């Protein structure tokens, strides 16, 4: 059965990898993305929690034939290095075998590689600066705004695959209808990105083969290495309370908080007060949906269907697994889009709920 063409909303990690998977099936893909082309812009400061690539994520990259392009970005992590309050550290390996490791990878760099492969090697049509402003289920129509100023236009969902993240415009369009049954549960914590630069000669200033964690009960600091010798650090902290974002309302309080709870990290962090003030506090939450599709018109995938909090490092890995499972369903040449979406949901929704749980 000819499946013709498909529109993907969202050119993040899930959308970009999915576009490659579908294009390899001979499907014509158009991908719409609100943000500018990431190959021509810098990553948005403070929004790039480094990612932990695990087995299901690697499997997705290999399935799509792009692993060799991504491999130079990966730094092997053999375990967690726990930073105690007294300055001592403990190393906890992830497994017993040498192969039982995960990998640190920059979200922004990974996205650039996948988008470039989609366009240059698989002829995916990319349209940046295209913001989804509404979806109309009854008409199966997506309203899109061209941010360059050309006005609004409509895209028919024949079909539309929504990989537009945890705040999905498409999923929210179904609120109150019972078709999707989506819920959003915000965590009473947020996160803030900080930077640990490389040493004067580009060297790592901590163990580069570990995920560094400063656990402090109700909050924690983590740091993952980048190929340039630097680390991306992320603080997870309650919104309200004694040790919280609300309580850290001045440079002096921020400095005192880090001196008290993360003394060995303070000399490593670059421009702590300045970075704290520049970078926004990101939202953390869990998205669940009772269903992921509306007939053969729309499919939710990735975070749009099942966003999870980042503490087990499985969000990206699960979305990449989505791409593999959907492609395996597409291997049946006689299945129409509605059947494909039904089978995909049946195969994968329990996995997504298990990780959320």
């Amino acid at each position: 059965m000819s499946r013709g063409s498909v529109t993907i909303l969202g050119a993040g990690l899930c959308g970009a990898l999915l576009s490659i998977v579908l294009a390899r099936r001979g499907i014509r893909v158009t991908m719409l993305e609100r943000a500018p082309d990431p190959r021509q812009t810098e990553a948005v400061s403070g929004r790039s929690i480094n990612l932990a690539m695990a087995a299901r994520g690697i499997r997705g990259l290999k399935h799509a034939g792009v692993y060799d392009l991504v491999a130079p970005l990966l730094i092997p992590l053999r375990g967690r290095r726990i930073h105690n309050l007294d300055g001592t550290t403990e190393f906890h390996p992830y497994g017993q075998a040498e192969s039982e490791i995960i990998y640190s990878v920059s979200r922004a760099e990974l996205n650039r590689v996948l988008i470039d492969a989609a366009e240059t090697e698989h002829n995916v049509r990319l349209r940046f600066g295209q913001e989804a402003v509404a979806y109309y289920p009854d008409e199966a129509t997506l309203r899109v705004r061209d941010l360059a100023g050309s006005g609004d236009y409509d895209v028919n969902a024949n079909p539309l695959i929504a990989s537009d993240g945890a705040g999905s415009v498409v999923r929210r369009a179904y609120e109150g209808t019972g078709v999707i049954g989506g819920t959003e549960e915000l965590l009473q914590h947020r996160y803030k990105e900080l930077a640990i630069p490389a040493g004067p000669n580009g060297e790592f200033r901590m163990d580069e083969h570990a995920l560094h964690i400063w656990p402090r009960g109700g909050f924690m600091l983590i740091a993952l290495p980048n190929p340039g010798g630097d680390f991306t650090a992320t603080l997870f902290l309650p919104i309200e309370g004694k040790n919280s974002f609300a309580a850290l309302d001045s440079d002096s309080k921020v400095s005192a908080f880090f001196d008290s709870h993360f003394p060995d990290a303070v000399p490593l962090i670059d421009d702590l007060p300045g970075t704290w003030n520049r970078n926004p506090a990101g939202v953390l939450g869990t998205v669940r949906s009772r269903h992921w599709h509306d007939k053969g018109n729309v499919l939710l995938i990735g975070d749009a269907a099942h966003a999870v909090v980042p503490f087990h490092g499985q969000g990206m890995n699960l979305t990449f697994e989505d791409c593999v499972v959907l492609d395996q369903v597409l291997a049946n040449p006689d299945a129409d889009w509605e059947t494909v979406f039904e089978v995909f949901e049946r195969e994968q929704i329990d996995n997504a709920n298990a990780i959320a749980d």
Side-chain angles (χ1 to χ4, degrees):
M1 176 177 291
S2 173
R3 298 190 179 102
S5 61
V6 66
T7 300
I8 296 176
L9 177 62
L13 297 178
C14 182
L17 188 68
L18 180 62
S19 74
I20 295 170
V21 167
L22 297 181
R24 282 160 58 97
R25 285 275 174 199
I27 298 169
R28 296 187 303 277
V29 181
T30 299
M31 192 156 52
L32 306 176
E33 168 58 44
R34 176 181 57 189
D37 188 337
R39 297 168 297 179
Q40 301 172 9
T41 59
E42 292 296 319
V44 177
S45 179
R47 295 294 193 189
S48 56
I49 289 180
N50 267 42
L51 303 166
M53 181 81 70
R56 55 166 52 93
I58 295 288
R59 190 179 307 119
L61 295 174
K62 290 183 176 179
H63 185 87
V66 294
Y67 176 74
D68 289 345
L69 298 175
V70 174
L73 305 177
L74 304 180
I75 298 178
L77 304 178
R78 309 196 183 284
R80 305 177 186 89
R81 185 162 293 280
I82 306 299
H83 293 249
N84 299 313
L85 191 57
D86 63 5
T88 61
T89 67
E90 306 167 16
F91 183 74
H92 300 168
Y94 283 123
Q96 297 178 341
E98 286 291 320
S99 61
E100 294 174 338
I101 60 176
I102 62 174
Y103 298 86
S104 173
V105 62
S106 161
R107 177 190 297 273
E109 292 303 318
L110 176 58
N111 203 193
R112 291 186 183 111
V113 167
L114 294 179
I115 284 175
D116 197 57
E119 182 177 53
T120 62
E121 298 186 19
H122 299 283
N123 298 314
V124 172
R125 184 187 182 206
L126 300 171
R127 299 194 62 197
F128 296 99
Q130 309 300 305
E131 180 181 15
V133 294
Y135 180 73
Y136 305 105
D138 291 342
E139 293 82 22
T141 300
L142 179 72
R143 177 67 52 82
V144 180
R145 178 164 299 150
D146 184 346
L147 298 180
S150 298
D152 294 358
Y153 60 94
D154 290 340
V155 174
N156 293 325
N158 56 349
L160 172 70
I161 300 182
S163 62
D164 54 335
S168 172
V169 169
V170 176
R171 187 190 69 251
R172 288 174 174 174
Y174 285 92
E175 289 180 358
T177 67
V179 176
I180 299 296
T183 63
E184 303 175 26
E185 180 184 355
L186 294 181
L187 198 65
Q188 294 305 303
H189 284 64
R190 291 188 177 172
Y191 72 88
K192 188 175 285 276
E193 180 187 308
L194 303 166
I196 296 177
N201 298 311
E203 72 274 12
F204 291 99
R205 296 159 70 195
M206 300 188 295
D207 179 1
E208 71 268 33
H209 294 301
L211 192 161
H212 293 262
I213 306 178
W214 290 258
R216 300 295 184 260
F219 57 95
M220 69 175 177
L221 179 70
I222 68 169
L224 282 85
N226 297 306
D230 60 310
F231 288 79
T232 300
T234 308
L235 176 70
F236 298 96
L237 192 67
I239 300 171
E240 303 285 346
K242 178 182 178 182
N243 294 309
S244 69
F245 281 108
L248 303 183
D249 56 3
S250 69
D251 290 354
S252 61
K253 290 181 181 178
V254 170
S255 296
F257 173 79
F258 274 80
D259 287 340
S260 176
H261 298 288
F262 312 115
D264 62 326
V266 170
L268 303 174
I269 297 174
D270 183 44
D271 184 20
L272 176 56
T275 305
W276 181 273
N277 292 325
R278 284 192 302 272
N279 289 350
V283 175
L284 300 164
T286 300
V287 169
R288 296 175 186 268
S289 304
R290 188 170 66 251
H291 294 291
W292 291 350
H293 72 98
D294 179 6
K295 303 177 182 148
N297 297 327
V298 164
L299 175 71
L300 303 178
I301 197 167
D303 283 356
H306 52 65
V308 294
V309 293
F311 307 121
H312 289 288
Q314 290 300 322
M316 170 198 62
N317 292 288
L318 178 60
T319 67
F320 283 7
E321 185 178 74
D322 282 354
C323 298
V324 174
V325 174
L326 182 60
D327 190 48
Q328 290 170 339
V329 178
L330 285 165
N332 177 0
D334 298 323
D336 60 13
W337 282 114
E338 184 171 1
T339 301
V340 168
F341 294 167
E342 286 177 352
V343 174
F344 168 71
E345 177 187 307
R346 187 166 64 245
E347 291 287 330
Q348 189 68 342
I349 195 166
D350 287 347
N351 294 327
N353 287 335
I355 290 180
D357 290 342

